[in-house]
């Protein structure tokens, strides 16, 4: 993007190089397989959850109460059984009222537990959804704060994958974790406590098996983690393949590149499958392994319990409760095991999201910004030096002045630094020395937003967003009125073709332009700048795809728009800029010649040569 | 590459075909699950015996023997569980890969119609995120949920064997669970469909924001863009929240049914124990089985946590896979007939083209002939249908009426690969793929030598700036060619087409970003390189087109005038007007 001119400068000035393609190791994001920091990522994730202290506290309280409620149910059941057995053994008739009371109590506890459980699940749902909304929001805001150079190095599909696939994964995982992990952990604690209350000896057996499962599952989880990291990285790569191939769909077909594109895709697809398989298998056996240990515990409890009863140290009812508990304990253990693998996957994704959120941002705006009340459009470059990369100077001591209302044309071969001039003016990039002043104020003393509000820009690539034609024109100005939109549309010859569309200004367009031709898209973007009514206009090769008849009309409209406005025109057709007040001839980042058309022609220098090559060319 | 059947197959047939490679593995998985479930099911029976036969009869040796059997069962269980986990991961991840591959292959075959109908962002979501949903669901089903029916049925059988009378409780609780699952499922399904659509929207907005970065910043619309995103985000969050609330009911309600059943069980059992018709050990075992059954139903009901989303995603994938491409391979492909004298010749015969449902055709009764070694130029106002002519030759669209002929045969009878192999194409927008410059240039012909690349660069007037890059041909190209200027990109795109050495060249407004001097040099160098190729140029500048053998002036889709530069100057007022306007402009 920015700095493109320079990347090809004839001097050794290759500008910001996008380091090897998305498939190699891309440098910006997720490239390097550096040591991943599980603990840091999780801490940060939990801190995000902790940002909802009230909801979290309420969730915790509900969970505790709910677990307590439902944990007591088997205990009550065991008491009921013991009562029956006792009565039978003593040969007394079973009192139904006692039985009813005990079972009724169990039912009451159960009901309360379930209700609280629902409340807890709703609360954690609200937390997770708020959290993922905020993550998406932060990611979107982050994109707005990243320097342009960052995007030059990112495959779009990779960034997209982080914002959709990865955040989606974090959200779904957390949903599972919050409602289950907490619940399971508490169930575990509650059941263990009750087990100890019933029989410390048997509970001891349960604890041993528990510790064993935790150790085993940790081992497996740690082994699965690198594969999860790999899986989500591969997902990003694949998304980048898909995004690029779908974007260049037509070319891929016509250039007979389908088979090769397919081969690259299949390679990445298979790599994704392989890593996903390993991650899934390793984390998938956590649960069976823990269940196995749980079963061992079960066997030990039954056998041990039976021997205890034989020795007279335990009642059958207690053993019944215990067997139920040990079954119950297997469920949370299984869920915690499941959670462990989900956590691996979630943290791998969360890491990729945080990586995006942590990418270095643009320099912040000045703390005490100046204000331009009534901008005149007086632009001064004062001994500006600039380089895209350290050690490779591009602009050395560039000075120029555009007085209010003047039209400044910038010409020169591609790669001369014309686009860079715009980049610096708009503060897409920051200068390294000297100053750029607007009405005497250093542009660095203004906020970027304020500075840019004074500029209207029409770029080489016409960009439309998905929305109506009306919205796309109105884009130039916040709150543009219908009258302003129509005026711009008429002035820029948009009105004519839009009225012929069945839906008129409500016709939906998108990045491809939908029903619009490339030229029509360009006209739309010109109308957009018209609506903005800026004090300085920047036209970057804006009219290259409009047919010459239309262009003439646009030129007229532009001339009207330029009245009283300072304009920078970067055009390859010298005819369009002959009337400019100042023409700058640039090469290799230097202004070699400056003056109006007549003066430059008289000088018989580079501009004259260029002019000759265009209009004195054999066929003209 | 699979040639797509013209008749779209049915939905079930589609899944059946995709599923075919995994049927064997699935049988294996189910076997493993059955064995491990049976092993798990024997545990309560053994423990009941421990109580009834061991404890009540004071037989310590029996207790230990049963304990040994239980250990054996547990061992069998884990071995087969691990095998099942292996098979499950294998199947799910393999199936996910196959789905992605199928979607990608199908999208490759799409014509511009389908690309526009689905939209690129939605196709991206469908290729990755939607497949991911299906894949995670499959993992869940294969590793956990397959055990549920086995455990459930096994549990029921064992429970009935243990005591048929107590099993009556299941008649109430199992249907109750089924109803809960059914109600929640039907409430959640439409919401999930909306949710995937909203993810598409997020994808679309972020993608637009990345592509339009400079415009957004230039017009200081960050806030507005953020509002736009926040709106979509809020909508997605709202749906997700509602879905989450519905889903959150599942487990607690299942829990409720489960434990109420055990309470009822004890209530009935207590009376029978009191009456002496039931042994205590049987009750304990029965409790364990009923837990087993209900847990398995509960696990099955976990389906509803993932199923709706996966179902919706599967539907979205299916829509792609079952959409027949608008441009299809001929049923009986013909070979390209050789033309006497060699080369290829294009003819438009009464060609018309209209978008489906459009009132006015884009092209109407266009006729012309393009012979090897000749150049046809198309000029006309913005939106007059110039690009459509190029698109019809490349079969990006098919004609609505008339025919496009190549060497005398309808292009629709040629295999697409054959047709495309004839074309050197330079599109209006110079999209470059990421990689190195050499990758870019070899895009259409992988085997081209470095010499050939330099030659093409030379003709395209790109040699100088490529040579000036420290890495030369190995210099990186960012996605879309973002690290090059418009003019450089256009020249690279031209060189990319030249490397193909095709007998037919289509230049769609391909010189617009070049300055006149470069344009002139390029046009001077082109004929030598193109040789006997047939060339079609779409353009705006008369100076670029005036030497064409035939110039078509398009107006609203019709050929308003046709002829050489000189004859048009003489006969066409409209053409003279264009020339005059450019002349005035160019002095």
């Amino acid at each position: 993007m920015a700095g493109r001119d320079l990347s090809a400068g004839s001097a050794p000035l290759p500008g910001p190089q996008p380091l090897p393609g998305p498939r190699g190791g891309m440098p910006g994001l997720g490239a390097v397989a550096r040591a991943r920091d599980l603990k840091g990522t999780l801490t940060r994730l939990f801190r995000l959850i902790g940002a909802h202290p009230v909801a979290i506290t309420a969730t915790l309280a509900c969970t505790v109460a709910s677990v307590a409620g439902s944990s007591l149910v088997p205990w009550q059941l065991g008491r009921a059984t013991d009562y029956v057995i006792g009565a039978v053994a003593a040969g007394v008739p079973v009192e139904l009222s006692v039985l009813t009371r005990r079972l009724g109590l169990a039912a009451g506890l159960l009901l309360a537990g379930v209700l609280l459980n629902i409340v807890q699940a709703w609360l954690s749902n609200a937390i997770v959804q708020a959290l993922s909304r905020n993550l998406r929001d932060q990611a979107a805001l982050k994109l707005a704060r990243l320097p342009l150079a960052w995007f030059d190095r990112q495959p779009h599909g990779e960034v997209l994958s982080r914002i959709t696939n990865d955040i989606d994964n974090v959200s779904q995982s957390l949903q599972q974790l919050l409602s289950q992990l907490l619940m399971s952990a508490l169930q575990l604690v509650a059941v263990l406590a009750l087990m100890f209350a019933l029989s410390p000896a048997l509970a001891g057996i349960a604890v041993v098996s528990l510790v064993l499962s935790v150790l085993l599952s940790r081992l497996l989880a740690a082994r699965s983690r690198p594969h999860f990291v790999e899986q989500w990285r591969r997902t990003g790569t694949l998304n980048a393949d898909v995004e690029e191939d779908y974007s260049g769909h037509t070319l891929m077909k016509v250039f007979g590149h389908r088979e090769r594109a397919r081969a690259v895709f299949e390679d990445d697809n298979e790599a994704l499958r392989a890593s996903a398989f390993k991650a899934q298998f390793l984390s998938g056996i956590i649960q069976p392994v823990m269940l196995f240990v749980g079963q061992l515990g079960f066997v030990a409890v039954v056998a041990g319990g039976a021997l205890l009863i034989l020795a007279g140290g335990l009642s059958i009812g207690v053993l019944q409760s215990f067997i139920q508990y040990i079954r119950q304990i297997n469920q949370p253990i299984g869920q915690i095991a499941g959670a462990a693998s989900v956590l691996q996957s979630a943290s791998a994704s969360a890491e990729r999201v945080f990586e995006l959120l942590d990418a270095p941002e643009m320099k912040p705006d000045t703390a005490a910004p100046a204000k331009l009340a009534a901008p005149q459009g007086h632009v001064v470059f004062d001994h500006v030096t600039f380089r895209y990369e350290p050690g490779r100077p591009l602009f050395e001591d560039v000075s120029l002045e555009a007085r209010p209302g003047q039209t400044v044309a910038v010409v020169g071969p591609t790669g001369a630094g014309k686009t860079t001039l715009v980049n610096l003016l708009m503060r897409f990039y920051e200068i390294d020395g000297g100053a750029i002043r607007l009405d005497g104020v250093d542009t660095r003393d203004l906020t970027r937003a304020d500075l840019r509000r004074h500029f209207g820009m029409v770029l080489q690539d016409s960009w439309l967003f998905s929305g109506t034609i009306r919205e796309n024109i109105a884009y130039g100005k916040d709150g543009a009125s219908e009258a302003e939109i129509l005026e711009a549309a008429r002035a820029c010859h948009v009105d004519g073709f839009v009225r012929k569309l069945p839906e008129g200004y409500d016709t939906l367009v998108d990045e491809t332009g939908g029903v619009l031709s490339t030229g029509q898209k360009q006209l739309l973007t010109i109308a957009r700048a018209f609506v903005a009514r800026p004090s300085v206009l920047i036209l970057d090769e804006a009219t290259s795809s409009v047919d010459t008849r239309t262009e003439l009309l646009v030129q007229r409209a532009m001339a009207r728009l330029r009245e009283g406005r300072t304009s920078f025109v970067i055009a390859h057709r010298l005819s369009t800029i002959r009337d400019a007040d100042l023409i700058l001839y640039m090469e290799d980042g230097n202004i070699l010649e400056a003056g109006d058309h007549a003066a430059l022609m008289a000088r018989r220098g580079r501009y004259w040569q260029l002019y000759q090559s265009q209009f004195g060319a054999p066929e003209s | 590459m699979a040639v797509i059947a013209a008749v779209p197959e049915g939905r079930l047939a589609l899944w059946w075909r995709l599923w075919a490679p995994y049927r064997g593995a699935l049988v294996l998985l189910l076997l493993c699950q059955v064995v491990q479930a049976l092993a798990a099911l024997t545990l309560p029976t053994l423990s009941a015996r421990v109580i009834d036969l061991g404890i009540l009869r004071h037989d310590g040796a029996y207790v230990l023997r049963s304990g040994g059997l239980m250990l054996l069962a547990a061992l069998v269980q884990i071995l087969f569980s691990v095998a099942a986990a292996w098979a499950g991961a294998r199947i799910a991840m393999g199936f996910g890969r196959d789905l992605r591959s199928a979607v990608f292959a199908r999208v490759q075959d799409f014509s511009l119609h389908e690309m526009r109908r689905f939209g690129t962002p939605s196709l991206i979501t469908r290729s990755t995120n939607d497949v991911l949903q299906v894949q995670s669901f499959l993992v869940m089903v294969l590793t956990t949920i397959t055990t549920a029916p086995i455990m459930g049925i096994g549990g029921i059988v064992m429970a009935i064997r243990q005591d048929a009378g107590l099993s009556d409780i299941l008649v109430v609780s199992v249907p109750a669970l089924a109803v809960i699952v059914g109600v929640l499922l039907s409430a959640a399904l439409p919401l999930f469909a909306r949710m995937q659509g909203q993810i598409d929207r997020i994808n679309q907005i972020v993608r637009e924001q990345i592509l339009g970065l400079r415009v957004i910043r230039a017009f200081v619309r960050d806030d507005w863009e953020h509002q736009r995103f926040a709106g979509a985000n809020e909508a997605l969050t709202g749906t997700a929240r509602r879905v989450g609330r519905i889903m959150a009911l599942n487990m607690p309600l299942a829990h409720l049914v489960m434990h109420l059943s055990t309470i009822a069980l004890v209530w009935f059992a207590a009376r029978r124990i009191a009456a002496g018709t039931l042994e205590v050990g049987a009750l304990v075992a029965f409790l364990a089985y009923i837990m087993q059954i209900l847990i398995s139903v509960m696990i099955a009901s976990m389906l509803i946590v993932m199923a709706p989303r996966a179902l919706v995603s599967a539907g979205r994938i299916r829509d792609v896979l079952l959409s027949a491409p608008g441009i299809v391979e001929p049923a009986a492909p013909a070979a390209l007939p050789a033309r006497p004298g060699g080369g290829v010749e294009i003819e438009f015969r009464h060609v018309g083209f209209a978008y489906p449902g459009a009132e006015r055709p884009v092209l109407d009764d266009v006729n012309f002939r393009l012979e090897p070694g000749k150049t046809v130029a198309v000029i006309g106002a913005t939106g007059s249908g110039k690009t459509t002519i190029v698109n019809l030759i490349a079969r990006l669209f098919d004609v609505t009426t008339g025919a496009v002929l190549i060497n005398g045969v309808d292009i629709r009878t040629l295999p697409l690969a054959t047709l495309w192999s004839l074309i050197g194409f330079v599109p209006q927008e110079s999209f470059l793929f990421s990689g190195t410059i050499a990758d870019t240039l070899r895009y259409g012909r992988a085997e081209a030598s470095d010499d050939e690349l330099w030659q093409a660069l030379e003709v395209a007037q790109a040699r100088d700036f490529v040579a000036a890059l420290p890495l030369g041909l190995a210099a990186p190209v960012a996605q879309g060619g973002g690290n090059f200027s418009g003019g450089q990109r256009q020249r690279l795109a031209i060189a990319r087409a030249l490397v193909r050495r095709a007998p037919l060249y289509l230049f769609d407004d391909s010189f617009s970003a070049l300055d006149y001097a470069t344009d002139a040099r390029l046009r001077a160098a082109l004929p030598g390189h193109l040789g006997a190729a047939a060339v079609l140029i779409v353009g705006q500048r008369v100076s670029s087109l005036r030497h064409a053998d035939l110039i078509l002036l398009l107006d609203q889709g019709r050929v308003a005038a046709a002829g050489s530069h000189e004859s048009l100057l003489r006969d066409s007022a409209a053409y003279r007007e264009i020339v005059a306007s450019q002349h005035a402009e160019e002095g």
Side-chain angles (χ1 to χ4, degrees):
Chain A
M1 281 218 159
R4 48 169 67 129
D5 270 357
L6 303 156
S7 61
S10 36
L13 301 172
Q17 295 291 343
L19 308 114
R23 267 164 221 125
M26 1 141 268
L29 283 178
V32 211
R34 60 183 167 74
R36 305 275 171 166
D37 175 16
L38 174 64
K39 220 176 237 168
T41 306
L42 289 184
T43 314
R44 196 159 159 193
L45 208 51
F46 287 132
R47 219 181 301 136
L48 286 178
I49 299 171
H52 309 266
V54 178
I56 276 291
T57 315
T59 307
L60 274 171
C62 285
T63 310
V64 171
S66 144
V67 170
S70 27
S71 302
L72 290 172
V73 174
W75 174 60
Q76 281 297 326
L77 284 179
R79 280 185 65 202
T81 313
D82 269 350
Y83 167 73
V84 175
I85 293 170
V88 171
V92 292
V94 173
E95 290 273 349
L96 275 187
S97 62
V98 177
L99 197 62
T100 312
R101 194 158 10 94
R102 296 213 166 144
L103 291 180
L105 188 60
L109 284 168
L110 175 63
L111 215 59
V114 164
L115 279 179
L116 286 165
N117 191 353
I118 290 176
V119 173
Q120 175 265 336
W122 282 20
L123 279 171
S124 56
N125 174 51
I127 295 173
V128 168
Q129 293 312 331
L131 182 129
S132 29
R133 182 195 53 205
N134 291 346
L135 270 185
R136 280 192 296 268
D137 208 49
Q138 282 175 34
L141 281 173
K142 179 72 185 189
L143 292 187
R145 288 196 303 265
L146 287 167
L148 277 169
W150 185 86
F151 290 92
D152 296 345
R153 294 194 296 263
Q154 287 313 314
H156 306 155
E158 233 282 338
V159 182
L160 278 177
S161 191
R162 284 171 206 256
I163 297 179
T164 52
N165 293 337
D166 284 308
I167 293 185
D168 199 25
N169 185 38
V170 170
S171 163
Q172 287 193 41
S173 308
L174 280 186
Q175 185 88 44
Q176 244 172 307
L177 289 178
L178 254 194
S179 53
Q180 283 182 11
L181 191 60
L182 202 61
M183 192 96 187
S184 307
L186 284 169
Q187 266 171 5
L188 203 63
V189 171
V191 171
L192 272 179
L194 287 165
M195 283 176 149
F196 270 102
L198 284 173
S199 161
L202 290 183
I205 297 175
V207 168
V208 170
S209 77
L210 203 66
V211 170
L212 209 60
S213 356
V214 169
L215 288 179
L216 276 172
S217 74
R218 278 188 58 164
L219 191 74
L220 286 169
R223 284 185 164 245
S224 70
R225 184 168 163 73
H227 299 296
F228 275 115
V229 170
E230 183 69 4
Q231 179 188 348
W232 289 104
R233 192 177 72 77
R234 292 284 182 187
T235 303
T237 309
L238 202 72
N239 213 50
D241 288 350
V242 167
E243 202 268 348
E244 186 166 25
D245 285 335
Y246 291 3
S247 299
H249 188 257
T250 295
L251 289 170
M252 181 174 71
K253 290 166 73 166
V254 179
F255 275 80
H257 203 269
R258 290 205 301 188
E259 306 305 323
R260 276 190 281 156
R262 182 79 191 274
V264 170
F265 174 86
E266 291 302 351
D267 280 354
D268 287 339
N269 194 13
E270 170 55 27
L272 170 58
R273 187 208 65 83
S275 58
F277 165 72
K278 284 181 202 139
Q280 179 53 43
F281 175 61
L282 283 173
S283 67
I285 59 174
I286 294 179
Q287 209 154 357
V289 165
M290 289 184 87
L291 276 176
F292 174 65
V293 178
Q295 298 285 34
L296 290 186
F298 179 73
V299 173
V301 163
V302 171
L307 296 175
L308 268 179
I309 292 173
L310 290 182
L314 200 69
S315 79
I316 294 185
V318 168
L319 182 61
Q320 178 214 317
S321 303
F322 220 93
I323 286 176
Q324 240 185 311
Y325 279 133
I326 205 134
R327 291 249 131 209
Q328 238 185 41
I329 214 170
N330 273 346
Q331 208 190 330
I333 286 178
Q335 280 181 353
I336 290 172
S341 68
V342 167
L343 202 63
Q344 297 304 319
S345 174
S347 70
S349 278
E351 207 158 76
R352 288 168 48 79
V353 176
F354 291 148
E355 206 171 35
L356 170 65
L357 294 182
D358 294 344
E361 297 181 5
M362 293 182 286
K363 234 189 276 169
D365 278 320
T366 167
K371 276 274 174 203
L372 282 181
Q376 304 296 308
H378 186 209
V379 178
V380 172
F381 275 59
D382 188 359
H383 301 286
V384 170
T385 55
F386 171 73
R387 64 212 61 188
Y388 282 108
E389 278 169 39
R392 285 210 289 245
L394 175 69
F395 276 16
E396 293 266 40
D397 199 30
V398 168
S399 295
L400 68 93
E401 178 179 13
R403 281 192 296 278
Q406 272 192 336
T407 295
V408 178
V410 189
V411 299
T414 28
K418 292 172 297 191
T419 305
T420 305
L421 206 67
V422 176
N423 283 339
L424 297 183
L425 207 54
M426 299 292 278
R427 276 186 73 198
F428 288 149
Y429 291 83
E430 301 288 346
I431 57 176
D432 297 310
I436 300 173
R437 281 191 279 275
L438 179 61
D439 293 347
V441 178
D442 192 315
T443 55
R444 282 168 298 193
D445 292 337
L446 298 165
T447 63
R448 285 187 185 82
D450 202 28
L451 169 71
R452 289 170 189 165
R453 265 190 207 105
H454 301 306
F455 291 94
M457 188 159 111
V458 180
L459 288 173
Q460 235 167 9
D461 310 298
S462 40
W463 174 81
L464 301 181
F465 67 90
S466 52
T468 63
I469 289 182
R470 176 183 289 107
E471 286 167 342
N472 268 286
I473 298 176
Y475 202 78
K477 184 180 164 190
D478 213 355
S481 71
E482 185 72 14
E484 286 175 299
I485 294 168
L486 286 178
E487 189 198 347
R490 282 197 206 98
C492 301
H493 306 280
V494 167
D495 195 59
F497 72 80
V498 170
R499 283 191 187 281
K500 285 195 195 129
L501 297 169
E503 313 267 342
Y505 284 92
D506 294 318
T507 305
L508 287 172
V509 295
D510 58 22
E511 50 169 311
T512 64
V515 296
L516 302 182
S517 72
T518 308
Q520 288 169 334
K521 275 165 67 182
Q522 277 200 336
L523 286 176
L524 264 189
T525 60
I526 293 169
R528 182 188 283 164
F530 198 102
V531 166
R533 300 255 168 206
S535 43
V536 183
L537 258 185
I538 296 170
L539 309 173
D540 186 2
E541 292 176 296
T543 54
S544 52
S545 275
V546 182
D547 62 279
T548 40
R549 269 199 295 177
T550 314
E551 188 184 337
L552 259 190
L553 300 172
V554 171
Q555 289 301 329
R556 265 179 238 151
M558 282 297 166
R560 245 199 348 261
L561 180 65
R562 288 209 301 260
E563 271 167 32
R565 290 191 171 84
T566 314
S567 318
F568 286 84
V569 181
I570 297 173
H572 289 306
R573 296 187 220 190
L574 297 188
S575 58
T576 59
I577 49 116
R578 222 165 23 176
D579 302 329
D581 300 290
L582 177 65
I583 297 172
L584 305 173
Y585 181 90
M586 292 191 73
E587 226 175 270
D588 299 342
N590 297 310
I591 298 174
L592 296 187
E593 296 172 14
D596 63 9
H597 178 70
L600 290 183
M601 288 302 279
R603 196 169 155 169
R604 296 209 147 219
R606 298 294 182 93
Y607 178 81
W608 178 81
Q609 272 175 15
L610 186 68
Y611 196 85
Q612 287 306 310
S613 75
Q614 287 200 9
F615 298 109
E619 53 273 76
S620 277
Chain B
M1 156 134 301
V3 176
I4 300 340
V7 183
E9 55 188 327
R11 297 173 174 193
L12 283 176
L14 170 79
W15 295 117
W16 182 246
R17 177 169 59 80
L18 287 169
W19 189 246
Y22 301 101
R23 280 176 219 156
L26 183 66
V27 170
L28 187 75
L29 174 115
L30 288 176
L31 275 177
C32 290
Q33 297 286 38
V34 167
V35 174
Q36 74 96 0
L38 287 179
L41 282 170
T42 57
L43 286 171
T45 305
L46 289 170
S47 66
R49 291 214 194 127
V50 167
I51 294 178
D52 290 342
L53 303 177
I55 301 173
L56 297 181
R57 295 184 191 165
H58 294 273
D59 185 348
Y62 187 86
V63 169
L64 288 179
R65 207 160 353 110
S66 300
L69 279 177
M70 286 166 89
L71 276 182
L72 189 68
L75 206 63
V76 169
Q77 193 196 357
I78 182 172
L79 285 179
F80 282 85
S81 299
V82 169
W86 184 86
R90 198 99 198 147
I91 295 172
M93 299 316 174
F95 189 69
R97 175 199 57 196
D98 294 353
L99 266 190
R100 283 189 294 268
S101 180
V103 172
F104 186 79
R106 174 46 60 109
V107 173
Q108 278 195 320
D109 286 332
F110 275 173
S111 75
L112 282 174
H113 279 305
E114 290 82 44
M115 290 309 283
R116 286 185 188 166
R117 193 175 90 224
F118 285 105
T120 307
S122 180
L123 285 174
I124 297 170
T125 321
R126 286 169 206 243
S127 304
T128 56
N129 190 292
D130 280 314
V131 174
L132 212 60
Q133 306 304 335
V134 173
Q135 183 182 292
S136 334
F137 174 66
L138 218 53
V139 166
M140 196 72 183
V141 169
L142 294 176
T143 57
T144 318
I145 296 170
T146 43
T147 62
I150 302 167
M151 299 285 270
I153 293 167
I156 290 174
V157 171
M158 302 288 260
I160 293 173
R161 261 184 51 191
Q162 196 65 244
D163 187 287
L166 288 178
S167 313
D168 290 349
I169 287 170
L170 293 173
V171 178
V172 181
S173 48
V174 171
L177 280 171
V179 168
I180 290 172
V181 170
V183 169
L184 296 184
L185 201 69
S186 60
L189 214 53
L191 288 175
F192 274 110
R194 196 187 302 165
M195 204 162 121
Q196 277 319 92
Q198 285 162 336
I199 290 183
D200 275 358
R201 180 76 185 136
I202 294 263
N203 225 334
Q204 179 178 40
I205 293 178
V206 175
R207 191 155 168 276
E208 281 176 1
Q209 290 180 348
I210 295 175
L211 292 173
L213 211 60
R214 302 216 312 165
V215 178
I216 294 166
R217 293 193 181 175
F219 285 108
V220 198
R221 299 310 299 262
D222 300 286
D223 286 346
W224 189 84
E225 284 295 339
H226 183 238
Q227 288 306 313
R228 198 156 78 96
F229 179 85
N233 193 9
E234 202 54 59
L236 173 62
T237 308
T239 311
R241 200 180 283 140
R242 285 176 59 194
V243 164
R245 246 180 251 156
I246 293 172
M247 292 315 183
L249 294 177
N250 181 41
M251 278 294 165
L253 290 184
H255 238 93
L256 183 69
V257 173
M258 201 166 107
H259 284 290
L260 277 181
S261 307
T262 61
I263 290 172
L265 191 70
V266 172
W267 166 256
F268 291 119
R271 313 170 106 194
R272 287 182 47 194
I273 291 172
T277 57
L278 189 72
E279 286 193 63
V280 181
L283 171 63
V284 174
F286 203 86
L287 268 177
Y289 285 127
I290 218 139
M291 278 293 217
Q292 185 110 51
I293 295 162
L294 295 170
I295 285 177
S296 68
V297 177
M298 225 166 80
I299 289 173
S301 78
M302 273 161 67
L303 265 176
I304 83 152
V305 178
M306 304 195 73
R309 200 166 173 194
L311 277 179
V312 167
S313 287
R316 286 159 50 92
I317 293 167
R318 187 195 62 218
D319 286 345
V320 173
L321 294 181
L322 293 186
S323 290
I327 304 292
V328 288
E329 294 278 358
L336 177 72
R339 184 183 171 279
V344 299
E345 174 189 312
I346 295 285
E347 186 187 346
F348 269 51
R349 204 176 276 171
H350 304 296
V351 167
F353 175 78
Y355 288 106
E359 287 172 29
R360 213 167 47 84
V362 180
L363 284 182
D364 191 12
D365 197 33
V366 174
N367 293 286
F368 70 88
R369 184 192 289 269
L370 168 59
E371 289 169 349
K374 305 280 188 197
T375 300
V376 169
V378 184
I379 193 167
T382 291
S384 59
K386 300 187 299 283
T387 295
T388 307
I389 288 185
V390 172
N391 288 344
L392 290 179
I393 296 177
R395 270 198 92 192
L396 302 176
F397 288 121
D398 273 340
V399 296
T400 324
T401 56
V404 179
L405 308 178
I406 186 162
N407 287 2
V409 301
D410 193 316
I411 58 168
R412 285 169 292 185
T413 64
L414 289 180
L416 286 166
T418 306
L419 174 67
W420 289 331
S421 71
L422 304 173
I423 298 174
F425 177 52
V426 187
Q428 208 166 13
E429 279 159 44
S430 328
F431 184 92
L432 303 180
F433 290 85
S434 55
T436 64
I437 288 188
D439 293 340
T440 298
L441 296 178
R442 289 201 176 99
Y443 193 72
R445 194 156 71 90
E447 68 279 10
S449 69
D450 278 9
D451 278 351
E452 287 176 292
L453 301 190
W454 282 114
Q455 222 175 348
L457 288 170
E458 173 101 53
V459 176
Q461 307 302 313
R463 186 185 189 112
D464 288 350
F465 77 80
V466 174
L469 297 172
L471 292 174
L473 287 177
V477 178
Q479 188 177 356
N483 55 328
F484 292 99
S485 76
Q488 290 171 332
R489 247 180 305 172
Q490 207 158 49
R491 281 179 274 168
L492 287 175
I494 291 169
R496 173 175 66 187
L498 294 179
V499 167
R500 289 201 95 185
R501 296 207 162 272
L504 170 63
Y505 276 90
L506 306 176
F507 293 97
D508 186 1
D509 204 4
S510 313
F511 312 112
S512 59
L514 306 182
D515 55 63
Y516 273 76
T518 310
D519 186 6
R521 280 200 303 274
L522 177 65
R523 271 179 292 112
L526 264 181
H529 186 87
L530 297 178
V535 179
L536 185 100
I537 299 179
V538 165
Q540 309 280 5
R541 298 182 200 164
V542 173
S543 60
S544 311
L545 311 174
R546 54 185 293 178
H547 295 289
D549 301 284
L550 175 69
I551 298 173
L552 304 174
L553 174 61
L554 275 193
D555 184 33
Q556 312 227 338
R558 301 188 68 98
V559 178
S564 67
H565 178 66
E566 286 70 26
S567 71
L568 284 176
L569 270 184
R570 199 172 53 237
D571 302 333
S572 167
Y575 188 74
R576 277 197 300 274
E577 193 191 314
I578 294 175
V579 173
S581 72
Q582 297 191 5
H583 222 68
E585 195 191 315
E586 286 159 24

